[in-house]
Coordinates of all heavy atoms in Angstrom, one line a residue:
R181 N 73.1 82.3 99.0 CA 72.1 83.4 98.7 C 71.5 84.1 99.9 O 71.3 85.3 99.9 CB 71.0 82.8 97.9 CG 70.0 83.9 97.2 CD 69.1 83.4 96.2 NE 68.2 84.4 95.7 CZ 67.2 84.2 94.8 NH1 67.1 82.9 94.3 NH2 66.5 85.1 94.4
Y182 N 71.3 83.3 101.0 CA 70.6 83.7 102.1 C 71.3 83.6 103.4 O 70.8 83.6 104.5 CB 69.2 83.1 102.3 CG 68.4 83.2 101.1 CD1 68.2 82.2 100.2 CD2 67.7 84.4 100.9 CE1 67.3 82.4 99.1 CE2 66.9 84.6 99.7 CZ 66.7 83.6 98.8 OH 65.9 83.7 97.7
G183 N 72.7 83.4 103.3 CA 73.5 83.2 104.5 C 74.2 84.4 105.1 O 73.5 85.5 105.2
A184 N 75.3 84.2 105.6 CA 76.0 85.2 106.4 C 76.1 86.5 105.6 O 76.0 87.6 106.3 CB 77.3 84.7 106.8
T185 N 76.4 86.5 104.4 CA 76.7 87.8 103.6 C 75.4 88.6 103.6 O 75.3 89.8 103.8 CB 77.1 87.5 102.2 OG1 78.3 86.8 102.2 CG2 77.3 88.7 101.4
A186 N 74.1 87.9 103.4 CA 72.9 88.6 103.4 C 72.6 89.3 104.8 O 72.1 90.4 104.8 CB 71.8 87.7 103.0
F187 N 72.9 88.5 105.9 CA 72.5 89.0 107.1 C 73.6 90.1 107.5 O 73.2 91.0 108.3 CB 72.6 87.9 108.2 CG 71.4 87.1 108.2 CD1 71.5 85.8 107.6 CD2 70.2 87.4 108.6 CE1 70.3 85.0 107.6 CE2 69.0 86.7 108.7 CZ 69.0 85.4 108.1
A188 N 74.8 90.0 107.0 CA 75.8 91.0 107.4 C 75.5 92.4 106.8 O 76.0 93.4 107.4 CB 77.1 90.5 107.0
D189 N 74.7 92.4 105.7 CA 74.4 93.7 105.2 C 73.3 94.4 105.9 O 72.2 94.7 105.3 CB 73.9 93.4 103.7 CG 73.8 94.6 102.8 OD1 74.4 95.7 103.2 OD2 72.9 94.6 101.9
N190 N 73.6 94.8 107.1 CA 72.7 95.6 107.9 C 73.5 96.4 108.9 O 74.7 96.3 109.1 CB 71.9 94.6 108.7 CG 70.7 94.0 108.0 OD1 69.7 94.6 107.6 ND2 70.8 92.6 107.8
D191 N 72.9 97.5 109.4 CA 73.5 98.3 110.4 C 73.3 97.7 111.7 O 72.2 97.4 112.2 CB 72.8 99.7 110.3 CG 73.2 100.7 111.3 OD1 74.4 101.1 111.2 OD2 72.6 100.9 112.4
P192 N 74.3 97.5 112.4 CA 74.3 96.9 113.7 C 73.4 97.7 114.7 O 72.7 96.9 115.6 CB 75.8 96.8 114.2 CG 76.5 97.8 113.3 CD 75.7 97.8 112.1
D193 N 73.5 99.0 114.7 CA 72.7 99.8 115.7 C 71.2 99.5 115.4 O 70.4 99.3 116.4 CB 73.0 101.3 115.6 CG 74.3 101.5 116.3 OD1 74.7 100.8 117.2 OD2 75.0 102.5 116.0
A194 N 70.8 99.6 114.1 CA 69.3 99.3 113.8 C 68.9 97.9 114.2 O 67.8 97.7 114.7 CB 69.1 99.5 112.3
M195 N 69.8 96.9 114.0 CA 69.5 95.5 114.2 C 69.4 95.4 115.8 O 68.6 94.7 116.3 CB 70.5 94.5 113.6 CG 70.4 94.5 112.2 SD 68.9 94.2 111.5 CE 68.2 95.8 111.1
A196 N 70.3 96.1 116.5 CA 70.2 95.9 118.0 C 69.0 96.5 118.5 O 68.4 95.9 119.4 CB 71.4 96.6 118.6
H197 N 68.6 97.6 118.0 CA 67.3 98.2 118.4 C 66.1 97.4 118.1 O 65.2 97.1 118.9 CB 67.2 99.6 117.7 CG 66.2 100.5 118.5 ND1 64.9 100.6 118.4 CD2 66.5 101.5 119.5 CE1 64.3 101.5 119.2 NE2 65.3 101.9 119.9
A198 N 66.1 96.8 116.9 CA 65.0 96.0 116.5 C 64.9 94.6 117.4 O 63.9 94.2 117.8 CB 65.1 95.6 114.9
W199 N 66.2 94.1 117.7 CA 66.2 93.0 118.5 C 65.8 93.3 119.9 O 64.9 92.4 120.5 CB 67.7 92.6 118.6 CG 67.9 91.5 119.5 CD1 68.4 91.5 120.8 CD2 67.7 90.0 119.4 NE1 68.4 90.3 121.4 CE2 68.0 89.3 120.5 CE3 67.2 89.2 118.2 CZ2 67.9 87.9 120.7 CZ3 67.1 88.0 118.3 CH2 67.5 87.2 119.5
T200 N 66.0 94.5 120.5 CA 65.6 94.8 121.7 C 64.1 94.9 121.8 O 63.4 94.5 122.8 CB 66.2 96.1 122.2 OG1 67.7 96.0 122.2 CG2 65.8 96.6 123.6
S201 N 63.5 95.5 120.8 CA 62.0 95.6 120.7 C 61.5 94.2 120.5 O 60.4 93.9 121.2 CB 61.6 96.4 119.5 OG 60.3 96.5 119.4
L202 N 62.0 93.4 119.7 CA 61.5 92.0 119.5 C 61.4 91.2 120.8 O 60.4 90.6 121.2 CB 62.2 91.3 118.4 CG 62.0 89.8 118.1 CD1 60.5 89.7 117.7 CD2 62.9 89.2 117.1
T203 N 62.5 91.3 121.6 CA 62.7 90.5 122.8 C 61.8 91.0 123.9 O 61.5 90.4 124.8 CB 64.1 90.4 123.3 OG1 64.7 91.7 123.4 CG2 65.0 89.6 122.3
A204 N 61.4 92.3 123.8 CA 60.4 92.9 124.7 C 59.0 92.6 124.4 O 58.1 92.8 125.2 CB 60.6 94.5 124.8
F205 N 58.7 92.3 123.2 CA 57.4 91.9 122.7 C 56.9 90.7 123.1 O 57.5 89.6 123.1 CB 57.4 92.0 121.2 CG 56.2 91.8 120.5 CD1 55.2 92.8 120.5 CD2 55.8 90.7 119.8 CE1 53.9 92.6 119.9 CE2 54.6 90.5 119.0 CZ 53.5 91.5 119.2
D206 N 55.6 90.7 123.6 CA 54.9 89.5 124.0 C 53.5 89.4 123.4 O 52.6 90.1 123.7 CB 54.8 89.6 125.6 CG 54.3 88.3 126.1 OD1 53.8 87.3 125.4 OD2 54.2 88.2 127.4
A207 N 53.4 88.5 122.4 CA 52.1 88.4 121.6 C 51.2 87.4 122.3 O 50.1 87.2 121.9 CB 52.4 88.0 120.3

Side-chain angles (χ1 to χ4, degrees):
R181 187 171 182 182
Y182 301 106
T185 300
F187 284 103
D189 186 25
N190 282 290
D191 176 72
D193 284 337
M195 294 304 97
H197 202 274
W199 174 263
T200 299
S201 179
L202 175 62
T203 55
F205 181 68
D206 187 352

